[in-house]
Amino acid sequence: MLFFNAQLFAQDQKLNYLQGKVVEKSTGQAIPYASVRINNSSQNTISNIEGVFVLSNNSKTTDSIAVSAVGFSTVKTALSDLNSKPQIVIVLEENITLLNTVTVTPLKAEEILKNAIRNSSKNYSAPSTLKGYYKEFVKRDSLLTKYADGIVSYLIKRQKNGTPEVSLAVSQSRVKEIEIPEEEDKINQLNTPIKIKGIGEFSDPAKTSLLDSANFKYYKYQLLEIEEKEKQIYVINFSPIIGSKKSLYTGKIYIDKESSLILGLDYTVAPSSRSFLTDINILGIHIGVISRMLSLRYKLENDHYHLSYVGQQFGMRIRSKRINQQTIFKSEFWVSNVITDNASLSKEELYTKNFLYKRGNQYQTEFWKDYAFMENTDEEVDFLAGNKK
């Protein structure tokens, strides 16, 4: 087992890192998977599902950072301007350099989307092993109660019906948690849809319920065609038909025009649909969904089409005679390595539990320094160090 001084690590990170949030100008919504880099250096990161980024800040104040995301114009800001702000918010506008902007009928959008779903489902790499860094946490009334990260691998095989068969292995894990009443913990575990093994099922974009063609009729669409790094990409903005209780989400779908492969999907509950989020009652315990976010990214590399990122957030309110709380679950997975030849998993590392924190602390190296695509936020650093807020 490896030990390190958490207090000194927390102090060091806060002194040398820049933390901020990336949002969309027109809606104020978070932009996940935005690229954040310091110009003329190798320092870079990406934003998480909440749009938050943490970037190593050892550069000169004369340097600047560049923030970009597919479908948005790049913003460059001097580090000297950011260092003077207590809260850093980077606002991106939709890309105005459009090849074609057309509001289309639902039928047109359905044709493009159906073809992309069919093609993506047909071409995801299987068998393959996706290895990377996974992180999950639970918040209770805005305070962290559980945190876990680790090095995980998903073995993806294609079943006869075309859907992925997923096996999971964990090689290292780090866990920090505070005790909460057992009743609350059981309710949380039973009701969150975020399970670590389920991440691998997103290898097939068709597994996302939003991309079920039976749900298309409940949404309205706008199709944009943009140029991104000399590639033509369709960006489909979607939102619920007002008054429909079967359409809850608003977001964007990114499709490579040439290959007709899905490159990404972002969605969150639309403000107009929040009133349709209903409670369920289980033995006197009222459980209501209050938020839901999903962000997916895919890559086509060396003729292999594979999942590259999954970010999920799920919020619920729990009420009973003894409990009245709001709980937020979040998990993220960044793929660092894809194996397509002789894909397999170590039997000794196979993992069948629903949550990584159940594995406990089992690590031999400070893996989070080598594998993490994004540094921990100030809140997470304090929690790992045992600092009280």
Side-chain angles (χ1 to χ4, degrees):
M1 187 69 67
L2 181 71
F3 296 94
F4 71 105
N5 191 317
Q7 293 283 353
L8 291 178
F9 176 77
Q11 294 170 9
D12 181 66
Q13 171 155 340
K14 288 187 177 183
L15 289 172
N16 297 294
Y17 287 80
L18 189 73
Q19 181 171 317
K21 185 173 184 178
V22 186
V23 301
E24 184 175 346
K25 182 177 182 179
S26 60
T27 64
Q29 292 181 351
I31 300 177
Y33 211 74
S35 170
V36 183
R37 61 183 174 82
I38 295 180
N39 290 316
N40 303 316
S41 82
S42 60
Q43 295 166 273
N44 63 86
T45 188
I46 58 175
S47 60
N48 67 14
I49 192 172
E50 296 166 324
V52 175
F53 67 88
V54 181
L55 183 66
S56 176
N57 186 21
N58 298 317
S59 300
K60 301 176 182 177
T61 55
T62 54
D63 290 337
S64 62
I65 69 167
V67 183
S68 61
V70 175
F72 295 90
S73 297
T74 299
V75 168
K76 295 182 180 179
T77 305
L79 280 174
S80 57
D81 293 338
L82 297 179
N83 289 332
S84 62
K85 295 180 179 179
Q87 292 184 325
I88 298 172
V89 179
I90 307 294
V91 181
L92 301 187
E93 294 186 68
E94 282 194 297
N95 195 337
I96 59 174
T97 309
L98 301 176
L99 302 179
N100 183 29
T101 307
V102 184
T103 300
V104 296
T105 64
L107 180 60
K108 177 65 174 177
E110 285 177 5
E111 291 174 355
I112 295 171
L113 199 48
K114 283 181 179 178
N115 187 48
I117 294 168
R118 183 167 53 248
N119 201 38
S120 301
S121 186
K122 178 182 177 182
N123 285 284
Y124 72 86
S125 293
S128 64
T129 301
L130 307 178
K131 182 178 180 179
Y133 175 76
Y134 174 85
K135 177 163 68 173
E136 68 184 19
F137 70 63
V138 180
K139 279 186 176 182
R140 176 189 179 214
D141 293 331
S142 300
L143 296 176
L144 277 171
T145 58
K146 298 181 187 296
Y147 176 101
D149 60 357
I151 304 303
V152 306
S153 298
Y154 293 93
L155 176 60
I156 311 298
K157 295 182 179 180
R158 189 184 298 272
Q159 300 184 86
K160 290 183 179 180
N161 63 1
T163 59
E165 177 185 308
V166 180
S167 300
L168 168 66
V170 181
S171 60
Q172 300 196 66
S173 60
R174 173 180 60 162
V175 174
K176 175 77 173 183
E177 58 182 319
I178 60 175
E179 290 187 10
I180 62 174
E182 185 178 358
E183 179 185 9
E184 292 182 28
D185 198 29
K186 286 182 178 179
I187 293 171
N188 291 342
Q189 292 180 44
L190 287 172
N191 290 283
T192 175
I194 298 179
K195 308 288 195 299
I196 183 172
K197 187 175 179 181
I199 299 292
E201 295 182 359
F202 288 118
S203 293
D204 180 3
K207 293 296 290 181
T208 308
S209 60
L210 186 71
L211 298 183
D212 184 341
S213 59
N215 294 323
F216 287 0
K217 59 186 176 183
Y218 303 118
Y219 289 89
K220 54 184 179 181
Y221 304 88
Q222 181 191 49
L223 177 67
L224 308 179
E225 186 178 323
I226 67 170
E227 185 172 4
E228 182 78 20
K229 297 180 180 178
E230 299 183 350
K231 284 188 175 183
Q232 272 62 55
I233 296 175
Y234 288 130
V235 180
I236 298 179
N237 295 322
F238 60 91
S239 57
I241 294 175
I242 301 298
S244 173
K245 295 183 179 181
K246 295 187 178 181
S247 55
L248 298 176
Y249 304 111
T250 182
K252 301 175 183 290
I253 302 167
Y254 307 94
I255 300 170
D256 180 75
K257 184 177 180 180
E258 181 180 1
S259 64
S260 189
L261 291 172
I262 293 174
L263 300 177
L265 165 69
D266 298 319
Y267 75 65
T268 187
V269 176
S272 61
S273 300
R274 287 173 185 163
S275 61
F276 301 141
L277 296 173
T278 57
D279 289 9
I280 60 173
N281 190 322
I282 303 176
L283 300 176
I285 300 173
H286 298 271
I287 302 169
V289 177
I290 57 175
S291 65
R292 181 77 169 99
M293 290 193 292
L294 176 67
S295 181
L296 304 173
R297 291 297 183 273
Y298 298 86
K299 288 184 179 179
L300 180 61
E301 297 178 310
N302 302 320
D303 295 325
H304 294 291
Y305 174 67
H306 64 85
L307 183 68
S308 63
Y309 169 78
V310 179
Q312 297 186 86
Q313 192 235 59
F314 180 79
M316 64 184 183
R317 180 167 293 282
I318 303 170
R319 292 179 292 112
S320 71
K321 291 182 178 180
R322 296 187 300 276
I323 302 171
N324 185 6
Q325 69 175 58
Q326 179 176 304
T327 303
I328 300 291
F329 304 86
K330 191 184 88 168
S331 75
E332 293 189 275
F333 174 58
W334 293 266
V335 176
S336 60
N337 190 27
V338 180
I339 300 171
T340 55
D341 295 328
N342 302 315
S344 62
L345 295 179
S346 167
K347 291 183 179 180
E348 293 76 18
E349 296 176 348
L350 289 177
Y351 191 69
T352 58
K353 294 182 179 179
N354 288 327
F355 306 98
L356 183 61
Y357 70 82
K358 292 290 186 180
R359 188 175 187 265
N361 284 301
Q362 297 186 50
Y363 58 88
Q364 299 77 46
T365 65
E366 294 181 347
F367 62 84
W368 52 90
K369 292 186 177 180
D370 297 324
Y371 281 89
F373 282 68
M374 173 184 162
E375 299 290 342
N376 284 320
T377 64
D378 289 346
E379 179 186 28
E380 293 163 355
V381 169
D382 282 328
F383 184 72
L384 287 169
N387 295 336
K388 302 294 183 181
K389 282 294 187 179

